[in-house]
Amino acid sequence: MNEFDVIVIGGGITGAGTARDCALRGLKVLLVERFDMSTGATGRNHGLLHSGARYAVTDRESAAECIAENKILRKIAPHCIDPTGGLFLTLPDDDLNYQGTFVEACKGAGIDAEIIDPREALAMEPSANREMIGAVKVPDASVDPFRLCASNLLDAKLHGATILLYTEVTGFIMEGSRVLGVKTLNHKTGEEGSYYAKITVNAAGIWGMSVMEKAGITVGMFPSKGALLIFAHRVNRMVLNRCRKPANADILVPGGTVSIIGTTSTRVPLEECNNPQVTPDEVNLLIGEGVKLSPTLAETRILRAFAGVRPLVSSDNDPSGRSISRGAVCLDHASRDGMEGLVTITGGKLTTYRLMAEMATDMVCRKLGMHVRCQTAWTPLPGAEGHSFKETADTIWRTPANKPEEPDIYGDALVCECENISVGELEAAIKHLGAGSLVDLRRRTRMGMGTCQGELCGCRAARILAREGLGDKALSDLRSFMAERWKGIYPIAWGDALREAEYTQWVYKHVLGI
Amino acid sequence: MRFDTIIIGGGLAGLTAGIRLQEEGRRTAIVSSGQSALHFFSGSFESLKDCPEAEELFDRAGVRLHNLPGSRRLLPGGAFREAVLSLGDVSLLPGEGPIGKKALIVSFNGYHDFFPELLAGALEKDGTPSIQGIVEMEELAALRKSPTEMRSVNIARVLDKCPDKFVQKVKELLADGVDTVILPQVFGLDGDEVPRAISEGLAPLKVIFVGTLPPSVPGIRTQNMLRRRYERLGGTFIIGDSVVSGAVHEGIVSSVASHNLDTYRLFADNFILCSGSFFSKGLHSSPTAIEEPVFGLDVEFPEDRSLWYEADFFEPQPYMGIGVKADKDLHPSIGGEKVTNLYVAGAILGASKDGKYGTGAGKAIKSALAAANKILSL
């Protein structure tokens, strides 16, 4: 019952991808996540599917990985990807000579980069800065990381994996220099558990550092905070980048109904990783730089500010973190630290999660003496068109584009009007994706992420949770959901954002009495 | 065009002031964008226990108000609050003890702006067991064809035409021991005859109406009825327009310009500004300042923006207390200079600064009456 081939720690995209890969290769998998899926860096980034162009000049290897994975994900996860294309703009402040170097480097990495006339670029992307002096078109895209993570977890589950959310690893079960499994605490029930496996994979992102300490192992990590702002409209059609060496606030990504500008890079203490804050200086910097890419941002309402923490790995010989690789790192703690049965997969990027999962699973299989080929490069995820799990996915991801032709008059009623989320979609997330709270629903369906920030859908969804038998905590859950929404709003609450916030105050305190 | 008084804003404060002045034979105009905070009115005049002057004025407009000292009201999230002066279809409940022996909570399939499950939990705690029932009517089926049409106002449009049938449907849902029926406030867009007919139709059962998510049917009804009263008294209601600027010279407003009237200006002896707070655009905020956009009236606010907010959503938010500075006669100032024929009323004053007028809808009518009475006394 409690014995598995492999235990994966972490329910972000890396853990989800690894659990899926292991399950597809026939392993008996357990995934444990201390909070909810996509709680860490997976749910706190641009939602950019890199073409690799950003790294072409500075890190050709990463760039080549990105473009290869970019092409794969378009095939296996089309329901998570919006193929927007991207532009690298040279602005009057930037050196136009860099463009040649950039395009050459892209070509060297296998990235299709094409110099186009600024006028043509403006026609393709009317929101771009008219003063640009150069433009390069690249195959960047926008990706929904929540849906991608959920798809991976779902597929792992459909292949027999056990997924335990809100279950934290409190320690390792060890025998000499071998890890035999993990001890856990379920935060919902308070139950403690012990699970055994031949191999345990640490995919806990920045938190992997403290997880590994429980096994007496030091993994030098560099918690790098990135702050971002969400604009209330999708102002740009294509991903906009600056054609210069990677710097702060130089990527604007359209996603769903919004656009996201980011990011910054600041080392933060480990304690801040659970609750990274966006400072007023960061807000000012992001707006100031964003306006250079797309001047219309100056007049666009900001929806919220948020930050994530990148799990960068310090080089083993460089604990100061000066020469940090942004590539994926897969550590076999048997050869590195003399600890058998333990593997760490970290670093990397959302775009290369599948490759990271493949690296980790290859290592797991090698250690188990198995020779099974990785299938994830061509096996579509649930929800992808033509996939055999289409039926499951249709119930779970019923977007206006793929919903069944026969209308379901009750299931189609909209709960979240900003993001077009129906009753049926929420019910499916509760039944099939383990959502037990409003925040869980938000991560699985995008409910509450739109313009009104949960003002109307929060209480509608609380009622659906109550109807599905999760009613005892419905009100306190609604309160914490609204509190969580406000946390990202008040750093940018002026203009229309403040108008909406005032309206929300009136509705909750005076009309609903919550 | 010249009026005795021009009122900027057609919400609760503007309509109250307009009716009061028209009743005394003054020639007034109200410039209204059309929407107001009445569209999400709870039906209760927060902070106001009673106000005979307003009750009589509203009664003449056909809007019945009531309150019963020591009674409670039930809010849609399941909370009980002390009752205040309220619209007739806000049910006043006994101050303590269960509200009934057993309640039937009625809703509609596909309607998600009313929360029977949350109410049931609250009633249970209060000592009243409940059952839930769904009213199915072919008249509602047409609404459900679109996933966004099942909203309070649309349902009211349908049900206002067939209250008897609705009553019959509710009776079919009754079970043994039910003595109380809880209904969403989706009745009576044009008057309170329909909610009254439903209460009477279900007698001797006790009927309790509970609010819904906006738009608020009782709020829109109140706006419609007050506007009708105002126009019948001869007031000029300019709808779909907004005042964009005013000509002020030596502390006197001579005229205002509106968006639609272009170069044509509106002149008056007195002006009342009740353009609301942030939501209604009576106040405008930028990253560095909070301003009153029509006249540039003095507004007091902390320079450090972080002081505008409380990090906890459920704590009182300081920005809601920020408003136009006004003296005891509700005169605002520009650059410290008092504007003597301009009055400010309603939410533009900020929520909590002035205990004299209370907060919310209660503050709107009290300050509007005070401004109108001041003008009448001149």
Side-chain angles (χ1 to χ4, degrees):
Chain A
M1 211 27 215
N2 288 356
E3 285 182 27
F4 297 85
D5 293 324
V6 58
I7 295 171
V8 179
I9 305 171
I13 189 66
T14 309
T18 304
R20 180 196 187 221
D21 197 339
C22 288
L24 283 177
R25 293 200 218 187
L27 297 175
K28 193 180 173 208
V29 182
L30 169 71
L31 182 142
V32 286
E33 157 59 44
R34 69 172 178 157
F35 293 135
D36 188 23
M37 62 171 83
S38 309
T39 300
T42 300
R44 300 179 153 272
N45 59 72
H46 262 118
L48 168 61
L49 185 71
H50 278 282
S51 62
R54 181 173 173 83
Y55 304 108
V57 174
T58 51
D59 186 353
R60 186 166 293 201
E61 203 177 326
S62 281
E65 280 174 11
C66 280
I67 188 62
E69 290 301 310
N70 176 305
K71 286 176 181 167
I72 289 170
L73 292 185
R74 284 168 195 260
K75 288 197 193 107
I76 66 163
H79 63 304
C80 303
I81 289 166
D82 184 353
T84 58
L87 290 174
F88 276 74
L89 308 181
T90 306
L91 299 181
D93 290 352
D94 305 329
D95 177 8
L96 191 55
N97 290 324
Y98 186 78
Q99 195 187 56
T101 318
F102 172 75
V103 171
E104 273 313 299
C106 283
K107 286 190 177 147
I111 301 160
D112 186 12
E114 182 194 345
I115 296 180
I116 56 173
D117 188 272
R119 275 169 302 185
E120 198 188 331
L122 260 181
M124 290 165 96
E125 181 49 75
S127 78
N129 191 334
R130 310 188 72 83
E131 289 171 17
M132 72 174 105
I133 53 176
V136 180
K137 187 168 157 266
V138 299
D140 281 346
S142 159
V143 55
D144 180 339
F146 298 97
R147 186 169 282 184
L148 187 62
C149 188
S151 297
N152 274 279
L153 283 177
L154 181 68
D155 207 26
K157 230 171 134 171
L158 290 168
H159 286 89
T162 304
I163 313 284
L164 298 179
L165 301 178
Y166 295 98
T167 302
E168 182 162 5
V169 169
T170 52
F172 288 92
I173 304 166
M174 294 198 283
E175 193 182 72
S177 58
R178 174 176 286 276
V179 169
L180 300 179
V182 296
K183 289 182 199 149
T184 60
L185 172 67
N186 182 318
H187 287 295
K188 294 253 154 131
T189 63
E191 272 172 62
E192 291 179 9
S194 296
Y195 299 93
Y196 297 86
K198 297 175 193 90
I199 313 282
T200 298
V201 179
N202 160 32
I206 196 66
W207 296 276
M209 209 170 148
S210 32
V211 171
M212 295 315 281
E213 275 169 16
K214 297 183 207 298
I217 290 172
T218 307
V219 180
M221 299 202 62
F222 186 98
S224 156
K225 183 182 78 168
L228 304 102
L229 298 179
I230 308 177
F231 288 87
H233 307 290
R234 189 177 167 118
V235 297
N236 49 330
R237 298 176 187 171
M238 303 172 77
V239 176
L240 291 179
N241 305 263
R242 285 286 280 280
C243 195
R244 64 180 185 192
K245 278 190 184 160
N248 279 339
D250 55 1
I251 312 180
L252 181 67
V253 181
T257 57
V258 303
S259 287
I260 300 180
I261 185 81
T263 166
T264 58
S265 183
T266 324
R267 180 166 195 157
V268 288
L270 207 54
E271 309 84 75
E272 208 192 307
C273 294
N274 284 334
N275 192 14
Q277 303 285 335
V278 181
T279 66
D281 285 346
E282 285 166 339
V283 170
N284 294 341
L285 172 85
L286 290 166
I287 297 172
E289 290 298 308
V291 166
K292 291 181 191 165
L293 279 172
S294 177
T296 177
L297 290 181
E299 310 301 324
T300 307
R301 172 176 161 189
I302 305 169
L303 215 48
R304 51 191 295 125
F306 70 102
V309 181
R310 301 176 188 91
L312 299 185
V313 183
S314 309
S315 144
D316 280 348
N317 304 320
D318 177 25
S320 75
R322 264 183 224 102
S323 55
I324 291 174
S325 153
R326 295 214 174 188
V329 176
C330 192
L331 304 173
D332 180 352
H333 295 291
S335 53
R336 183 181 180 266
D337 308 285
M339 183 62 74
E340 262 305 338
L342 197 54
V343 169
T344 286
I345 178 77
T346 191
K349 287 173 279 290
L350 174 61
T351 302
T352 58
Y353 90 90
R354 194 212 59 84
L355 180 65
M356 295 167 69
E358 183 177 340
M359 287 163 69
T361 309
D362 282 350
M363 189 178 281
V364 169
C365 287
R366 216 164 34 239
K367 292 171 81 69
L368 292 173
M370 288 173 59
H371 301 280
V372 195
R373 203 173 157 203
C374 175
Q375 304 167 39
T376 57
W378 59 82
T379 310
L381 283 157
E385 204 181 345
H387 185 250
S388 54
F389 293 108
K390 187 169 188 302
E391 216 173 298
T392 321
D394 273 352
T395 357
I396 295 168
W397 290 296
R398 199 161 40 174
T399 65
N402 74 2
K403 78 174 183 187
E405 280 176 20
E406 278 298 304
D408 166 359
I409 53 169
Y410 304 129
D412 286 347
L414 285 184
V415 175
C416 170
E417 290 163 73
C418 303
E419 292 285 335
N420 241 352
I421 313 297
S422 66
V423 172
E425 203 170 339
L426 294 185
E427 286 172 344
I430 295 167
K431 285 190 191 114
H432 305 300
L433 293 174
S437 70
L438 294 170
V439 177
D440 290 358
L441 282 174
R442 174 177 70 74
R443 290 197 197 95
R444 284 159 184 74
T445 66
R446 306 190 70 83
M447 177 207 93
M449 289 191 183
T451 320
C452 88
Q453 290 287 294
E455 166 186 284
L456 299 176
C457 61
C459 37
R460 288 177 184 153
R463 186 243 166 153
I464 288 165
L465 279 169
R467 206 166 64 183
E468 296 292 323
L470 299 160
D472 47 339
K473 294 191 197 90
L475 274 182
S476 60
D477 185 37
L478 180 53
R479 288 177 73 94
S480 48
F481 179 69
M482 294 312 291
E484 183 264 346
R485 294 285 83 192
W486 176 238
K487 199 187 106 186
I489 297 170
Y490 76 79
I492 50 84
W494 62 79
D496 284 339
L498 191 64
R499 294 182 58 214
E500 191 91 51
E502 188 187 40
Y503 178 70
T504 308
Q505 285 282 328
W506 273 102
V507 170
Y508 276 77
K509 289 185 184 164
H510 297 285
V511 178
L512 299 176
I514 287 168
Chain B
M1 228 184 301
R2 172 164 275 283
F3 295 89
D4 297 333
T5 299
I6 286 170
I7 298 158
I8 301 161
L12 191 56
L15 285 163
T16 303
I19 291 170
R20 176 84 188 99
L21 292 168
Q22 288 293 143
E23 281 181 340
E24 296 297 324
R26 302 296 171 98
R27 200 170 118 77
T28 71
I30 294 177
V31 186
S32 165
S33 66
Q35 272 223 339
S36 78
L38 279 170
H39 287 234
F40 50 94
F41 183 36
S42 68
S44 288
F45 296 87
E46 298 299 333
S47 75
L48 204 57
K49 289 257 175 350
D50 63 89
C51 179
E53 189 183 3
E55 287 165 60
E56 285 158 24
L57 181 144
F58 276 62
D59 198 55
R60 293 191 291 273
V63 180
R64 286 184 313 119
L65 304 183
H66 66 166
N67 190 17
L68 199 65
S71 58
R72 296 182 297 170
R73 58 198 158 111
L74 178 57
L75 298 182
F80 286 95
R81 291 259 174 92
E82 190 188 355
V84 292
L85 190 63
S86 299
L87 296 180
D89 56 346
V90 171
S91 306
L92 302 176
L93 309 169
E96 47 190 64
I99 61 163
K101 287 195 185 74
K102 188 174 180 183
L104 164 68
I105 308 173
V106 176
S107 188
F108 312 98
N109 266 328
Y111 181 50
H112 293 280
D113 293 349
F114 184 66
F115 318 109
E117 291 80 3
L118 302 185
L119 289 171
L123 291 183
E124 184 80 43
K125 272 186 206 150
D126 201 56
T128 307
S130 64
I131 55 168
Q132 295 174 32
I134 296 286
V135 163
E136 273 290 17
M137 289 168 70
E138 63 210 43
E139 287 84 348
L140 291 170
L143 283 185
R144 267 196 299 267
K145 282 184 187 150
S146 156
T148 55
E149 289 296 296
M150 282 298 277
R151 300 285 175 254
S152 309
V153 172
N154 294 340
I155 294 173
R157 273 195 198 110
V158 171
L159 296 182
D160 278 359
K161 292 189 192 122
C162 47
D164 296 344
K165 188 170 174 186
F166 175 79
V167 165
Q168 200 47 48
K169 289 280 181 185
V170 172
K171 284 183 177 165
E172 289 167 18
L173 295 172
L174 291 173
D176 278 353
V178 168
D179 64 346
T180 304
V181 178
I182 296 181
L183 302 176
Q185 280 174 339
V186 292
F187 306 96
L189 269 177
D190 290 317
D192 65 357
E193 294 81 5
V194 173
R196 285 161 84 164
I198 285 169
S199 293
E200 282 158 21
L202 286 169
L205 296 166
K206 183 157 76 175
V207 176
I208 298 173
F209 292 99
V210 174
T212 68
L213 269 187
S216 154
V217 170
I220 291 173
R221 174 208 311 148
T222 304
Q223 176 160 308
N224 290 344
M225 293 178 79
L226 293 179
R227 179 184 164 189
R228 204 176 305 150
R229 167 74 175 161
Y230 173 72
E231 292 187 309
R232 282 190 183 147
L233 288 165
T236 304
F237 198 81
I238 304 170
I239 192 162
D241 201 358
S242 47
V243 168
V244 291
S245 66
V248 187
H249 185 62
E250 290 181 351
I252 305 276
V253 183
S254 53
S255 68
V256 292
S258 85
H259 189 266
N260 294 349
L261 295 175
D262 200 18
T263 54
Y264 194 84
R265 300 187 73 86
L266 295 167
F267 294 84
D269 300 331
N270 291 291
F271 295 81
I272 306 177
L273 181 65
C274 26
S275 47
S277 56
F278 300 98
F279 178 76
S280 305
K281 301 187 185 175
L283 296 171
H284 177 262
S285 65
S286 70
T288 51
I290 293 175
E291 294 159 339
E292 186 285 302
V294 175
F295 298 99
L297 303 176
D298 295 339
V299 179
E300 213 165 9
F301 62 89
E303 237 170 75
D304 178 359
R305 194 177 75 235
S306 66
L307 300 176
W308 300 0
Y309 322 105
E310 215 24 88
D312 180 347
F313 175 81
F314 289 95
E315 286 296 312
Q317 294 294 326
Y319 71 84
M320 294 181 78
I322 296 172
V324 163
K325 276 205 304 196
D327 70 8
K328 62 175 180 23
D329 293 325
L330 296 167
H331 290 301
S333 57
I334 301 174
E337 185 185 11
K338 181 161 119 177
V339 188
T340 54
N341 68 336
L342 178 61
Y343 302 80
V344 282
I348 194 171
L349 287 164
S352 54
K353 233 177 6 182
D354 192 342
K356 189 168 156 196
Y357 299 107
T359 58
K363 180 173 198 162
I365 51 176
K366 284 211 80 159
S367 57
L369 286 172
N373 288 334
K374 183 77 196 163
I375 289 172
L376 291 171
S377 74
L378 294 174

